[in-house]
Amino acid sequence: APVRDHAWHFIAATYDSKTGEAVLYHEPQIVYALDPAIPPVKKKLGVKVENQKGVPFTVAAYTKALDNSPLARSSRPAGIVMSGQYNGKIDSPRLCNKALSRQDIETMKLGSQPGMSERRHCGPTGELAEAIVGSWDFSDGINTIIGRDHGPYVFDIQLVNCPTRAMTGHNFTGHNFDWKHAPKEYGAIHFHDDDVDDARWEVDFEWDVPANQRSMSYAAKLTTKEGDEDYIPFWVVPELGKATAKIAVMIPTISYMAYANEHLANNAGGAELLVYRVPIMQDQNMFLSEHREYGGSVYDTHTDGSGLCLSSRLRPILSIRPKYDHFLMQAPWQYPADLHLIYWLETMGYKFDVITDEDIAYEGLARLEQYNVVISGSHPEHSNGKQLDALHNYTQRGGRLMYMGADGWYWVHSYHPAYDHLGRGVMTEMRRCESGIRTWRADPGEYYHQSTGELGGMWRYRGRYLHSVAGTGMSSEGFDVSTYYTRTEDSKDPRVAWAFEGISYDEKLGNFGFVGGGAAGTELDIVDTMLGSPPHTLLVATSAGRHTEAYLLVMEDYGFSQQGIDGTQHPRVRSDIAFHETPNGGACFAFSAIAFCGALPWNNCQNNISKLVGNVLNHFMQDGPLPQPPASAIKHRGRADYEPSTAK
């Protein structure tokens, strides 16, 4: 009988080697009124079944062959080619050393109960208990890659390619959505044939970083005699406590991992509607569409339609390449877009260090506190809680933050502790929960991360508004064209007027750029004191009223479907450039658009966006606390007391 999708079935099979009889039991746990009965299937096998040396016991796949091919060498255990990879959940597998009756099978569901007494739950006893070989409980060790055996032999299972855990099991009641409080209801593992945690490729070359190597964004260039080329990116960061500059560029590697090898251009049904044109794809998109074994991004779904919530960097990631244009804007995105910023810093002669998200998440404030100013990437969308703690502590202690993009600190991410021995940030996890811009939705009860047990989804729904990090937060997105900013009266305030030295009040700011043709585009952030922007924030420039109908308000900002949420009608569809002070002489400057960095290199960096950013950076990188604001600016303010300035 066929197996119904997205539903639990009880499956058992027995084989009697003496009689050669095999019996298969298939019992759907939900039976509809018109479902036919499914009796046990019995069959005599005319072959002798025996264990082959070197063939392991497996769950969710089977051994196809033993050989020494590259594929087999990369397997776990090595030397085996697996086949029959299963897509779906498995809960509470059991293995016995004899063929059981149906009644014994029912008792065996209870699993092994060692140390029984009259006061404990009754499990298999006597002769039946002697039959147990393995009794696995996948609710034990959810944050590991071990399937724990509670049977007498402790035959723990090694999980390969990090399948998804913290999944609701066959006995999920719906009374508790946090697996830590009802672990026995989370005894399922969701396996996928396109899970990948480590490509386990053989090493071709290594490079020891010289002690005096400059901290910088690098790539290893690979070429062939036929003229093919590839770039493998990496970053050299200073040793902790040995900063070499006053400026640190914070490389958003968590976000790079979130988008790694995404398949949206090929597999998203509404891709043309999203970008408001026909998507143009790269060779990488076509290759990944044909080779799912490279794994996808957390924007994709697995081959069975379930959401992909884990991403590993131990695999070839074809989208993290300097010459890769993303289909959303037909322009650089994430890693290649951040090279606009690196190019600008180099061209303008600034000395800087590069640090990464994982450095901050694993080392905290110690990684930031030596720098006068920290500069974000163009799209630091995905963030770890420890990283946010460090950024908050940094700005509260007098540090200066330049937020160079938009949609920052939107999704909750965590690192899987089972991979820490292989390096920092090897495996990152995200769950798409209640709201937010979602390409898939986690099922009820599956919102909490398997790696750390924390609630996934948006930081906003953890009570941590992204507007509070740098002063602005996500409001809208659109992917047809970008536009420009005009200054507001706030930009003349003595607290921030220094940022506009050399720029006239009437200039169009950023009516140019390599991402959509302007500095204000793709995804946009705004000032909103009700969502965390400090009430003393100065809104110094805005793109309000200049966006197309392709730009739409984010769904978490309205409660029901309605008209009038596009860039030609809704006042929140805009980008705000904003400034605010933090305690102890610190400050934040938010530029609030993903396309913004794409304007920096325009005209060989001779433009008003370059001038604005240079003014801010020169001011922020100075030693000591920033100048105090005038006494008149210091007063009691509530969130609702804020009155934003308007453009001229």
Side-chain angles (χ1 to χ4, degrees), residues 433-647:
C433 306
E434 300 94 339
S435 188
I437 303 164
R438 296 164 295 169
T439 51
W440 54 269
R441 294 178 179 87
D443 282 342
E446 297 177 354
Y447 293 174
Y448 285 79
H449 288 200
Q450 68 191 69
S451 50
T452 59
E454 64 185 300
L455 176 64
M458 295 176 61
W459 282 112
R460 178 169 174 172
Y461 292 98
R462 294 264 299 266
R464 196 164 198 169
Y465 292 100
L466 47 156
H467 302 66
S468 67
V469 181
T472 62
M474 179 71 164
S475 68
S476 55
E477 65 177 7
F479 303 103
D480 57 347
V481 293
S482 303
T483 186
Y484 62 91
Y485 300 91
T486 51
R487 292 172 58 179
T488 70
E489 289 296 319
D490 273 0
S491 68
K492 299 178 180 179
D493 191 298
R495 291 163 51 198
V496 75
W498 46 264
F500 292 92
E501 291 179 4
I503 302 172
S504 70
Y505 186 78
D506 295 324
E507 281 188 50
K508 294 179 179 179
L509 298 172
N511 57 336
F512 47 82
F514 291 106
V515 181
T522 70
E523 296 181 7
L524 313 175
D525 287 7
I526 64 172
V527 173
D528 189 335
T529 60
M530 303 305 288
L531 291 177
S533 301
H536 62 280
T537 299
L538 293 173
L539 193 167
V540 298
T542 185
S543 66
R546 301 187 188 95
H547 295 282
T548 69
E549 61 184 9
Y551 281 76
L552 300 173
L553 189 67
V554 291
M555 61 186 67
E556 61 268 20
D557 273 3
Y558 59 92
F560 54 90
S561 298
Q562 61 188 48
Q563 294 181 333
I565 61 171
D566 68 61
T568 65
Q569 302 175 73
H570 204 285
R572 290 178 67 86
V573 180
R574 67 179 197 271
S575 172
D576 293 339
I577 298 179
F579 165 80
H580 74 269
E581 298 91 346
T582 62
N584 300 304
C588 294
F589 218 106
F591 296 100
S592 307
I594 288 178
F596 189 86
C597 285
L600 285 170
W602 193 263
N603 191 32
N604 198 31
C605 305
Q606 301 301 308
N607 61 74
N608 54 24
I609 293 297
S610 174
K611 181 67 174 175
L612 172 62
V613 174
N615 287 344
V616 174
L617 182 53
N618 292 336
H619 190 74
F620 275 18
M621 66 185 289
Q622 64 182 280
D623 293 330
L626 295 180
Q628 287 292 310
S632 60
I634 300 174
K635 59 184 179 180
H636 293 290
R637 295 177 175 90
R639 293 188 307 167
D641 296 332
Y642 179 75
E643 294 183 2
S645 177
T646 57

Side-chain angles (χ1 to χ4, degrees), residues 225-276:
K225 294 179 180 179
E226 292 75 26
D228 299 315
E229 67 176 20
D230 196 11
Y231 295 83
I232 313 300
F234 63 95
W235 297 269
V236 172
V237 302
E239 289 185 48
L240 185 62
K242 297 182 180 180
T244 67
K246 298 179 180 181
I247 302 168
V249 178
M250 184 171 59
I251 304 295
T253 45
I254 300 177
S255 295
Y256 296 170
M257 293 310 308
Y259 281 92
N261 287 352
E262 58 86 8
H263 293 72
L264 287 176
N266 301 67
N267 298 139
E272 292 189 13
L273 292 174
L274 181 66
V275 301
Y276 235 55

Side-chain angles (χ1 to χ4, degrees), residues 356-419:
T356 68
D357 283 354
E358 55 260 33
D359 295 315
I360 304 168
Y362 282 85
E363 297 167 351
L365 180 63
R367 179 48 79 173
L368 298 174
E369 62 184 354
Q370 296 182 85
Y371 299 103
N372 291 357
V373 55
V374 172
I375 304 175
S376 83
S378 62
H379 192 186
E381 177 182 3
H382 301 262
S383 300
N384 176 282
K386 294 180 179 179
Q387 177 195 17
L388 292 184
D389 291 341
L391 279 174
H392 174 79
N393 290 331
Y394 171 73
T395 57
Q396 296 301 299
R397 294 186 178 203
R400 276 81 85 171
L401 175 63
M402 293 176 65
Y403 175 39
M404 301 301 299
D407 188 22
W409 309 293
Y410 192 86
W411 293 110
V412 176
H413 268 255
S414 60
Y415 293 125
H416 202 305
Y419 294 86

Side-chain angles (χ1 to χ4, degrees), residues 181-253:
H181 298 298
K184 292 300 181 183
E185 296 181 19
Y186 288 84
I189 294 179
H190 197 149
F191 296 91
H192 310 91
D193 61 3
D194 57 353
D195 283 328
V196 57
D197 64 354
D198 187 349
R200 292 182 282 275
W201 284 18
E202 296 172 351
V203 175
D204 286 312
F205 68 93
E206 294 178 330
W207 179 58
D208 292 328
V209 181
N212 61 349
Q213 187 70 31
R214 178 190 171 192
S215 175
M216 186 55 172
S217 178
Y218 293 98
K221 183 179 180 180
L222 310 179
T223 59
T224 67
K225 294 179 180 179
E226 292 75 26
D228 299 315
E229 67 176 20
D230 196 11
Y231 295 83
I232 313 300
F234 63 95
W235 297 269
V236 172
V237 302
E239 289 185 48
L240 185 62
K242 297 182 180 180
T244 67
K246 298 179 180 181
I247 302 168
V249 178
M250 184 171 59
I251 304 295
T253 45

Side-chain angles (χ1 to χ4, degrees), residues 7-245:
W8 280 105
H9 301 250
F10 175 70
I11 307 291
T14 66
Y15 171 69
D16 189 327
S17 60
K18 294 180 180 178
T19 65
E21 183 178 68
V23 183
L24 175 66
Y25 301 91
H26 170 198
E27 300 169 5
Q29 301 302 282
I30 298 225
V31 179
Y32 295 112
L34 301 184
D35 284 354
I38 305 176
V41 177
K42 299 181 179 180
K43 185 175 182 179
K44 291 276 188 178
L45 300 182
V47 296
K48 184 178 180 181
V49 178
E50 59 183 16
N51 292 328
Q52 184 178 352
K53 185 177 181 181
V55 176
F57 173 76
T58 58
V59 174
Y62 62 82
T63 297
K64 179 180 180 181
L66 303 177
D67 64 37
N68 195 39
S69 66
L71 180 61
R73 291 199 303 272
S74 70
S75 185
R76 286 289 181 271
I80 294 177
V81 177
M82 292 291 182
S83 188
Q85 285 84 355
Y86 171 70
N87 283 298
K89 291 181 177 180
I90 293 178
D91 189 347
S92 306
R94 310 275 187 258
L95 179 65
C96 295
N97 61 16
K98 71 174 185 178
L100 304 182
S101 67
R102 182 62 189 83
Q103 181 177 347
D104 287 345
I105 289 172
E106 193 65 26
T107 305
M108 192 58 68
K109 284 182 180 180
L110 300 174
S112 180
Q113 299 288 336
M116 290 184 295
S117 73
E118 67 275 9
R119 296 181 181 273
R120 297 192 62 179
H121 190 271
C122 183
T125 59
E127 184 179 349
L128 185 55
E130 190 179 3
I132 296 176
V133 174
S135 175
W136 291 275
D137 182 357
F138 292 158
S139 71
D140 185 1
I142 282 177
N143 67 339
T144 74
I145 49 175
I146 299 295
R148 298 267 167 78
D149 178 19
H150 288 192
Y153 299 104
V154 196
F155 285 146
D156 290 344
I157 289 174
Q158 176 68 50
L159 297 178
V160 179
N161 284 328
C162 202
T164 311
R165 305 187 75 168
M167 295 279 105
T168 54
H170 71 283
N171 58 343
F172 178 62
T173 63
H175 294 310
N176 200 311
F177 275 35
D178 184 347
W179 61 264
K180 300 185 299 299
H181 298 298
K184 292 300 181 183
E185 296 181 19
Y186 288 84
I189 294 179
H190 197 149
F191 296 91
H192 310 91
D193 61 3
D194 57 353
D195 283 328
V196 57
D197 64 354
D198 187 349
R200 292 182 282 275
W201 284 18
E202 296 172 351
V203 175
D204 286 312
F205 68 93
E206 294 178 330
W207 179 58
D208 292 328
V209 181
N212 61 349
Q213 187 70 31
R214 178 190 171 192
S215 175
M216 186 55 172
S217 178
Y218 293 98
K221 183 179 180 180
L222 310 179
T223 59
T224 67
K225 294 179 180 179
E226 292 75 26
D228 299 315
E229 67 176 20
D230 196 11
Y231 295 83
I232 313 300
F234 63 95
W235 297 269
V236 172
V237 302
E239 289 185 48
L240 185 62
K242 297 182 180 180
T244 67

